[in-house]
Amino acid sequence: MIPQVRWHGLPPKHGLYDPRFEHDACGVGFVVNIKGKKSHEIVSQGIQILLNLDHRGACGCEPNTGDGAGILVQLPHTFFQKAAKAGGFILPAPGEYGVAMIYVSKDEEARHPCERIFERIVREEGQTILGWRTVPTQNKNLGKTAVATEPCVRQCFIARDMRTMKTDLAFERKLYVIRKRAVNAVRNSGEKDSHYWYLPSISCRTVVYKGMLMPAQVADYYPDLRDKDFETALALVHSRFSTNTFPTWERSHPYRFIAHNGEINTLRGNINWMHARQSMFASPLFGKDIQKIFPIINPTGSDSAMFDNCLELMYLSGRPLSHAMMMMIPEPWVGHESMSDELKAFYEYHSCLMEPWDGPASVAFSDGIQIGACLDRNGLRP
């Protein structure tokens, strides 16, 4: 069973309210250059999609405090080169470094011990810190509720050990291990304001800019997104409408791989099965690192975050992203007359390995290389 924990930014369990049962109903969209050509235009088009999804988001009692909005893009190397130079360090070639997007306390003295813990773990995992950057933000148009829990947003640039991290995916796995270790270490450290510590993304392929924002506030809040050198070939965006839930900065989407509209109605069973199987996990790709990533499912996450946790593990364990999505959200294959026998066999085999994460839900997903979307077997609600 999931332990009872205090969820940062949310009230504790009381009366009929239980933070474990929070769900989302949101707006999702993406734009992509199918030839993989990066441009700032894709960022602008992604922001325009967000503006068009304004009716799919929600606000609180203040019209300028949103439930959450954000954008996932490929690492904008040209922009980050410029930002790194301004910060006094130099970036290697694309793919040879990763970027951690981190929420930390606004109190500079309070956040330094947490950042030192992170740096220590990066070194212990054989990688090198290139430098830090405070992400420029502009909160003058945000409501009081959003500002009250607003974190400082920091970026940490991590050099890849090219001798041991032979492939991009090997480096992605190592960054995943670093994140899992750091979150556990920082939040259990007892350091002041350690509850702020959260990583929207840590990757050599993608970066996520998000927050407790309205869709129209995203580009204003993050001036990075307006820079002409900020380029990508894909953009995944999300406007959050949390149903019977409380919004927080970390609950905004996109997550590290997905943006989700709908809800996971089978969540309790999905979580319990993942916890039950956790002790048996083994992977030649992770090796001994597998012990460092527990718990797989973040008990303080929303249903969307927990889905993302599971998908992340399936993907980094060696499955193609589309393969992992088909495992988690299978089509209704039993009795499907027009489905090929081969596809039915695929679903039947994987039903022995993974139970469906059923909605109704629509999920868009990306690993920074491919991007797609699917509906679950119940279809998307209006």
Short mmCIF file of all heavy atoms in Angstrom, two decimals, residues 166 296 378:
data_model
loop_
_atom_site.label_atom_id
_atom_site.label_comp_id
_atom_site.label_asym_id
_atom_site.label_seq_id
_atom_site.Cartn_x
_atom_site.Cartn_y
_atom_site.Cartn_z
N LYS A 166 28.04 5.09 -23.82
CA LYS A 166 28.31 4.93 -25.25
C LYS A 166 27.15 5.41 -26.13
O LYS A 166 27.36 5.75 -27.30
CB LYS A 166 28.61 3.46 -25.56
CG LYS A 166 29.82 2.90 -24.83
CD LYS A 166 31.11 3.57 -25.25
CE LYS A 166 32.31 2.90 -24.61
NZ LYS A 166 33.59 3.56 -24.98
N ILE A 296 9.66 3.24 -7.92
CA ILE A 296 9.41 3.59 -9.31
C ILE A 296 8.31 4.64 -9.40
O ILE A 296 8.42 5.63 -10.11
CB ILE A 296 9.00 2.34 -10.13
CG1 ILE A 296 10.12 1.29 -10.08
CG2 ILE A 296 8.66 2.73 -11.57
CD1 ILE A 296 11.43 1.76 -10.67
N ASN A 378 -11.49 3.11 -23.52
CA ASN A 378 -12.77 3.73 -23.17
C ASN A 378 -13.06 4.98 -23.99
O ASN A 378 -14.15 5.53 -23.90
CB ASN A 378 -12.78 4.10 -21.68
CG ASN A 378 -12.71 2.86 -20.80
OD1 ASN A 378 -13.49 1.94 -20.97
ND2 ASN A 378 -11.78 2.83 -19.88
#
